[in-house]
Amino acid sequence: MQTFVTEHAGVIFVILVIALLVLFGMLLLNIVQTNNLREKYEFFMKGKSGQSIEEAMGECMDEVARVERDYQQLKRYTKEVIEKKAEAGLYRHYMKRYDAFEGMGGELSFVLVLLDEHNDGYLINSVQGRDSAHVYSKNIEDGVCRQRLSPEEEQALQETLDYWKEQENV
């Protein structure tokens, strides 16, 4: 065995030097990685007077929960406000033009119907004569007018109700 070591001493020495260099390289790599890890650790640990990461995460989770509650409240409030505004809006509309008097061309008179989603609203009739114009307004409740309607007004109101009833069924 001694003869093997003495005969190959040069080769063994080279192998040991290479192994030593590899181990030295691994040591340097380990030192660099440890320094990077230390920098990250110090970054996370600085701040709120040495407060632990666990406490900071707990505070963040509490803040997220508070923001979520506030968001849900705002969402409900906004939905309620939008629904109230939509119900109050007179978005169901129809206008019928007509000639109020024989011999008057151009269909200058008109009936304008404005209703909300409950069919409450107004009917506005503008009657155009040769020398004058008159505007009449009538209240509509649940699609019915308590005042007497002209044929043009009845037709405009019925066409409005029919059109929007069709739209709801689509």
Side-chain angles (χ1 to χ4, degrees):
M1 173 95 177
Q2 249 183 354
T3 54
F4 176 78
V5 173
T6 52
E7 287 178 9
H8 296 92
V11 174
I12 294 174
F13 179 73
V14 171
I15 291 174
L16 287 175
V17 169
I18 291 173
L20 184 63
L21 289 174
V22 169
L23 289 173
F24 185 71
M26 290 174 61
L27 177 65
L28 288 177
L29 183 63
N30 193 0
I31 290 171
V32 169
Q33 289 177 341
T34 303
N35 284 339
N36 288 341
L37 190 58
R38 178 176 286 125
E39 288 174 5
K40 290 178 184 178
Y41 173 78
E42 288 173 358
F43 173 77
F44 279 114
M45 295 317 270
K46 73 177 181 180
K48 300 185 176 182
S49 66
Q51 181 182 27
S52 74
I53 293 175
E54 188 175 335
E55 291 172 357
M57 294 283 289
E59 287 178 8
C60 287
M61 295 303 291
D62 291 343
E63 182 68 14
V64 167
R66 187 191 62 75
V67 168
E68 178 67 24
R69 279 192 310 272
D70 291 350
Y71 169 73
Q72 291 301 330
Q73 285 178 330
L74 183 60
K75 191 171 152 184
R76 278 192 303 275
Y77 172 77
T78 304
K79 183 180 178 199
E80 291 170 5
V81 167
I82 289 173
E83 286 176 356
K84 286 179 185 176
K85 295 282 186 189
E87 286 180 6
L90 301 174
Y91 65 91
R92 295 179 178 187
H93 55 85
Y94 180 77
M95 184 168 84
K96 175 170 181 53
R97 299 180 69 88
Y98 66 98
D99 288 324
F101 302 104
E102 203 171 302
M104 291 272 306
E107 294 184 338
L108 298 175
S109 298
F110 67 87
V111 177
L112 176 63
V113 180
L114 301 168
L115 302 175
D116 65 10
E117 69 177 24
H118 303 293
N119 291 327
D120 296 335
Y122 308 99
L123 181 143
I124 300 169
N125 189 356
S126 173
V127 180
Q128 183 71 37
R130 290 197 189 279
D131 298 328
S132 63
H134 300 279
V135 178
Y136 303 96
S137 173
K138 299 176 182 177
N139 289 334
I140 308 294
E141 293 178 10
D142 198 26
V144 177
C145 182
R146 299 199 191 289
Q147 298 166 299
R148 196 171 64 114
L149 299 175
S150 70
E152 294 83 10
E153 291 171 333
E154 285 179 14
Q155 184 181 6
L157 179 58
Q158 193 57 51
E159 287 180 19
T160 304
L161 296 171
D162 292 345
Y163 175 80
W164 287 99
K165 187 173 186 178
E166 278 182 33
Q167 294 304 309
E168 289 175 354
N169 293 332
V170 171

